Amino acid sequence: MAEKWNIDDLTVGATMETTFLTNPVETSSFRFRATHLDGRRAPKVVLCDDPRISPGRPCIVRITAVRKPKRADRGAIEVEFVQNLDLQLKGVWLDPIASKKLQILLESGLNILLDGPQGCGKTVLAKSIAETLGMEFVYFNCGAVVEATDFLATIQVRASDNGQPVTEFVKTSVLESFEQAGDEPKKRYLVFLDELNRCPESARNALMPALDTTRKVFHPIENHFLNIPDNVQFIAAVNRGNEFSATFGIDAAQLDRFAPLQMTYMPPTQEVKLLHERHPELSKALVTRIVKVADAVRKSPELTGGLSVRATEEACIYLKHPLMEKAQRRLLPEVLQSSFCGRFAGRWDDTTTDAGTVWTVINQVLREEKKK
Ligand SMILES: Nc1ncnc2c1ncn2[C@@H]1O[C@H](COP(=O)(O)OP(=O)(O)O)[C@@H](O)[C@H]1O
Ligand SMILES: [Mg+2]
């Protein structure tokens, strides 16, 4: 850990890297506040009010004044904005072009639609954005929505004191965040609408005014229109072409409310790196083999659904377990049979099904690997 800065080493005119968040002090004339300079803790808060700053995004600043240098409990380091640096998302891999696009969309406040196969990192990406940018993350699973009102409230039945059933509305996380955002204008809320394509179109339609410039929804409990505050941003995720479960096509007018961002599986070398870091007990050669098979399954022209990174991770969890670690090579095919074939329709031993096709691919790749 780098040490805290000594106040005497922070001179006016020095340029340094920092990351601002929104200044929680409401009365301050500086909108942005940081705590570190060049990765080391600053002895006083770092303040700036330049509108080009995006909270959570690293930038270069120049020190313009050090206020009350002698007082440990007061003062501030005032800086001027020099330039923005790239957004560094923690714990998620995103291809560099998509990363740039994402940064621009986030800055412009547009609704974002993450479009990619299952298990390619849509949910971790949304979470990481919220964490990096200091936003409140609001998760909502659209797969559970049946009717339009389900986005905002659910009806629950409970027993009253006299034993009679009473029905009541319970607010969803989405409705709660709209209300809270109004009360907390300094906080920012990232509402993640997961599996947006899995709810019925009629229900989705009811959400559309929330997503366009109207930004209004009907409050089903209080029976009035509710304005969605500006400090709420939406990200939705869809998994198009998932043959496995019931999916609803999203119509063009609905799609048009979002800026689509296509995602794919991370490259094999990245996936090996990620899995090897998470499961260092396994040899890199074994992890590489698992990922190689997964890559072949994903690229197979006969298969439409994707193969989640959850599947390769599951194989790692099996193989590092004491019950398996002594016979990893021998057990690898069995593990992939359940973790990979099991995620597709049909059975591994029925070559007319997707699961059977996956089993063929697994054997081909493992045979080639053996020859080497
Ligand atoms: N690009 C990525 N970066 C980091 N982790 C990833 C990535 N893609 C997948 N994963 C890992 O795979 C798992 C599934 O990712 P998730 O975000 O839930 O997928 P999705 O929402 O697209 O179905 C998680 O454990 C996640 O850590
Ligand atoms: Mg997800």
Side-chain angles (χ1 to χ4, degrees):
M1 242 346 223
E3 265 179 66
K4 186 168 164 175
W5 281 105
N6 193 328
I7 192 85
D8 299 326
D9 294 331
L10 296 173
T11 48
V12 170
T15 54
M16 301 189 141
E17 185 185 326
T18 191
T19 304
F20 289 99
L21 290 179
T22 305
N23 189 353
V25 181
E26 308 242 341
T27 49
S28 171
S29 53
F30 296 95
R31 266 171 289 173
F32 306 106
R33 188 181 83 166
T35 53
H36 288 70
L37 289 167
D38 277 353
R40 289 167 65 181
R41 188 154 183 98
K44 298 182 183 304
V45 289
V46 179
L47 297 174
C48 193
D49 196 49
D50 196 296
R52 288 169 293 178
I53 290 170
S54 321
R57 181 170 175 187
C59 60
I60 302 287
V61 293
R62 188 178 298 114
I63 298 178
T64 52
V66 179
R67 305 279 178 215
K68 298 197 179 30
K70 300 276 178 296
R71 294 283 301 259
D73 55 337
R74 271 161 206 250
I77 298 160
E78 291 176 19
V79 297
E80 64 183 3
F81 175 85
V82 178
Q83 70 178 85
N84 274 318
L85 298 172
D86 278 349
L87 186 67
Q88 299 291 327
L89 292 171
K90 276 167 265 167
V92 46
W93 186 90
L94 189 61
D95 89 70
I97 302 285
S99 174
K100 279 200 196 339
K101 288 181 184 165
L102 177 71
Q103 217 161 289
I104 294 166
L105 296 176
L106 284 169
E107 275 174 35
S108 58
L110 292 172
N111 304 318
I112 299 167
L113 185 77
L114 303 177
D115 181 356
Q118 65 207 56
C120 72
K122 299 180 293 294
T123 304
V124 281
L125 175 65
K127 273 197 188 135
S128 175
I129 290 168
E131 199 187 314
T132 310
L133 301 182
M135 301 170 90
E136 306 290 319
F137 184 69
V138 182
Y139 179 86
F140 187 77
N141 177 17
C142 301
V145 166
V146 181
E147 287 175 49
T149 53
D150 295 346
F151 281 109
L152 301 174
T154 55
I155 294 172
Q156 298 203 341
V157 183
R158 62 169 180 89
S160 69
D161 293 342
N162 62 17
Q164 292 296 316
V166 284
T167 54
E168 58 186 10
F169 273 121
V170 177
K171 293 174 192 173
T172 64
S173 57
V174 173
L175 180 54
E176 278 187 338
S177 71
F178 292 169
E179 292 183 344
Q180 271 178 30
D183 296 339
E184 303 258 11
K186 289 242 163 170
K187 281 194 185 164
R188 294 185 306 154
Y189 293 78
L190 189 71
V191 175
F192 181 56
L193 303 168
D194 203 5
E195 313 220 47
L196 184 67
N197 56 321
R198 288 192 58 196
C199 70
E201 170 147 26
S202 56
R204 229 172 15 231
N205 264 329
L207 194 68
M208 290 305 123
L211 298 168
D212 59 29
T213 47
T214 330
R215 285 182 75 90
K216 269 191 203 314
V217 283
F218 190 72
H219 198 307
I221 304 173
E222 295 170 7
N223 290 320
H224 60 82
F225 281 95
L226 180 73
N227 270 323
I228 302 171
D230 287 342
N231 51 337
V232 174
Q233 179 157 20
F234 294 94
I235 294 195
V238 294
N239 174 3
R240 283 201 246 188
N242 178 359
E243 310 298 297
F244 218 163
S245 53
T247 50
F248 299 79
I250 298 191
D251 83 19
Q254 292 180 346
L255 270 182
D256 196 38
R257 270 131 170 137
F258 291 94
L261 191 70
Q262 281 79 31
M263 291 176 70
T264 51
Y265 294 109
M266 62 184 113
T269 46
Q270 287 296 331
E271 190 171 348
V272 170
K273 190 163 165 264
L274 177 110
L275 293 173
H276 191 54
E277 273 164 18
R278 287 187 189 172
H279 308 285
E281 305 88 340
L282 296 177
S283 74
K284 197 147 188 182
L286 183 62
V287 177
T288 306
R289 194 164 298 169
I290 295 168
V291 171
K292 208 166 235 174
V293 178
D295 188 47
V297 171
R298 289 172 190 148
K299 288 189 178 135
S300 167
E302 286 133 275
L303 298 163
T304 43
L307 182 66
S308 170
V309 176
R310 270 177 232 113
T312 49
E313 172 135 50
E314 185 183 296
C316 294
I317 291 168
Y318 270 127
L319 292 165
K320 75 176 187 185
H321 193 278
L323 287 172
M324 290 200 172
E325 68 177 346
K326 300 249 151 43
Q328 285 168 341
R329 267 172 164 262
R330 183 168 55 80
L331 293 173
L332 180 61
E334 314 274 341
V335 165
L336 298 184
Q337 195 178 81
S338 51
S339 295
F340 288 11
C341 299
R343 284 183 157 76
F344 287 82
R347 274 185 61 86
W348 66 272
D349 55 359
D350 179 353
T351 49
T352 64
T353 64
D354 280 358
T357 307
V358 174
W359 185 232
T360 310
V361 175
I362 292 171
N363 282 305
Q364 268 167 3
V365 178
L366 292 181
R367 226 178 295 127
E368 277 163 30
E369 284 291 297
K370 215 174 207 169
K371 272 193 223 146
K372 285 188 200 163

